[in-house]
Amino acid sequence: MERLIPGFMTYLMQVKNASKSTMSSYERDLKRLAAFLDAKGVHTPEDVTATSLNSYILFLEREGFSTATVSRNVASMKSFFHYVCDSNRRLNDPTSQIRAPHIDRKAPEILSVEEVESLLEQPDPGTAKGIRDKAMLELLYATGMRVTELITLKVTDLNQRLSYVICRDGEKERVIPYGPKAQAALETYLKDAREELLKGTISDLLFVNCSGNLMSRQGFWKLIKQYAAKAGIETDITPHTIRHSFAAHLVQNGADLKAVQEMMGHADIATTQTYLNLSVNHVKNVYAKAHPRG
């Protein structure tokens, strides 16, 4: 079965226009599935049955994989066997009766506007690193982009005249506007800090680490943790917390849900609907605290 995975990866990229993160997850899921089936004596897609796939799902659950991970593995195998059937390698789809476990979606953790303001004030404006950090945090909150999109931005992805940035996730891209505070922070960074951080090297990356190279996700995560501690924020925040806060604050202030979906890059508006629910709860809490008969 594993020999068909490279062809499936090509199909995901060229036909389905899947993101790099989706392709990486699916490839990892399918290689694990192939190894499990191979150990059970199931070596070709034609030999795979619904029973063998259900056995694999039970194996994942016994191994302690989260419900979300098991659900994604089901999505991986369904997509793979749809591809196999479409390629006429087998007629019946063994995943047709397979059901993913139900996921209880928790409300995303968000910061208050005051907490975000405090966080954004923490970087030291007297150092190149602080100027860079300020620009990154301002742009992250102004656009709600994913951390991978932020650290891989190119200088050419930025349109300073019209104040928008182009975000890329694999072959997909979206245009997100940003406001004057992010604009000012970016201008200061490009004028006063980027060249110092590059240390004479040449790079098309917008943001670089202190060695002039690509910043890691883990490095940016630690950076946010440090500034959150300085700001006295007790919530255990990550870059995704700021992304969620961006969307929640937009919706709370009356932004169109479809526009928020496009800026966030959500494939399904049901995902964006979460922020509307948060907004309704926020209004209820405000009412309860402020109304004389609340």
Side-chain angles (χ1 to χ4, degrees):
M1 188 178 114
E2 189 167 349
R3 63 185 174 79
L4 297 180
I5 295 176
F8 175 62
M9 291 297 107
T10 301
Y11 164 79
L12 284 181
M13 180 177 64
Q14 295 181 351
V15 178
K16 291 297 186 179
N17 198 26
S19 68
K20 290 181 180 178
S21 60
T22 297
M23 290 177 62
S24 176
S25 297
Y26 276 29
E27 183 174 27
R28 184 170 60 251
D29 293 346
L30 291 170
K31 284 184 176 180
R32 187 192 295 120
L33 170 62
F36 174 86
L37 293 175
D38 194 58
K40 300 291 184 182
V42 180
H43 305 298
T44 66
E46 292 80 8
D47 296 330
V48 178
T49 64
T51 301
S52 58
L53 293 178
N54 275 315
S55 296
Y56 179 63
I57 294 170
L58 289 173
F59 162 76
L60 292 177
E61 292 173 343
R62 285 196 303 269
E63 288 295 304
F65 286 93
S66 69
T67 303
T69 300
V70 175
S71 184
R72 193 199 61 227
N73 271 266
V74 172
S76 301
M77 65 174 69
K78 279 181 173 290
S79 185
F80 175 74
F81 280 101
H82 289 171
Y83 160 78
V84 169
C85 291
D86 287 346
S87 302
N88 294 319
R89 291 187 174 92
R90 64 176 292 159
L91 296 177
N92 62 316
D93 184 353
T95 68
S96 60
Q97 300 301 316
I98 302 292
R99 295 290 177 264
H102 176 71
I103 301 175
D104 292 322
R105 294 190 180 275
K106 293 190 295 185
E109 193 78 49
I110 65 169
L111 301 176
S112 67
V113 173
E114 293 75 19
E115 286 175 322
V116 172
E117 292 285 353
S118 179
L119 179 71
L120 297 179
E121 291 304 313
Q122 297 311 310
D124 182 359
T127 66
K129 177 181 179 299
I131 293 171
R132 178 207 65 191
D133 295 349
K134 171 74 168 176
M136 293 185 79
L137 290 173
E138 287 282 4
L139 189 61
L140 184 64
Y141 180 59
T143 62
M145 67 177 68
R146 301 175 180 91
V147 63
T148 301
E149 295 168 338
L150 179 71
I151 64 176
T152 56
L153 280 175
K154 304 291 192 295
V155 175
T156 51
D157 291 330
L158 203 64
N159 187 316
Q160 289 184 277
R161 186 173 65 85
L162 298 178
S163 298
Y164 70 78
V165 64
I166 299 173
C167 284
R168 292 184 173 83
D169 180 16
E171 298 299 316
K172 301 175 184 176
E173 66 177 46
R174 63 192 191 282
V175 175
I176 312 176
Y178 55 81
K181 290 189 177 181
Q183 173 82 330
L186 286 165
E187 287 176 353
T188 302
Y189 165 68
L190 290 169
K191 179 169 64 76
D192 299 334
R194 186 170 178 272
E195 287 301 318
E196 182 178 335
L197 292 171
L198 281 171
K199 293 180 170 56
T201 61
I202 297 174
S203 175
D204 59 353
L205 290 170
L206 176 59
F207 298 113
V208 295
N209 63 19
C210 293
S211 301
N213 300 314
L214 174 70
M215 181 181 290
S216 68
R217 287 168 51 91
Q218 294 80 2
F220 187 66
W221 180 82
K222 290 179 182 177
L223 175 155
I224 286 183
K225 292 282 188 184
Q226 291 166 0
Y227 289 135
K230 285 181 64 179
I233 297 171
E234 296 181 359
T235 304
D236 185 22
I237 73 170
T238 68
H240 230 62
T241 309
I242 300 177
R243 173 172 159 84
H244 289 316
S245 301
F246 157 82
H249 295 168
L250 280 177
V251 173
Q252 284 172 8
N253 285 288
D256 176 71
L257 208 60
K258 186 67 176 176
V260 176
Q261 177 193 6
E262 291 177 4
M263 287 186 280
M264 293 289 281
H266 290 156
D268 188 349
I269 199 166
T271 305
T272 320
Q273 189 82 26
T274 303
Y275 302 109
L276 181 59
N277 297 335
L278 285 174
S279 180
V280 170
N281 290 335
H282 171 74
V283 171
K284 285 181 178 178
N285 290 335
V286 170
Y287 178 89
K289 290 178 181 178
H291 196 279
R293 293 183 180 271

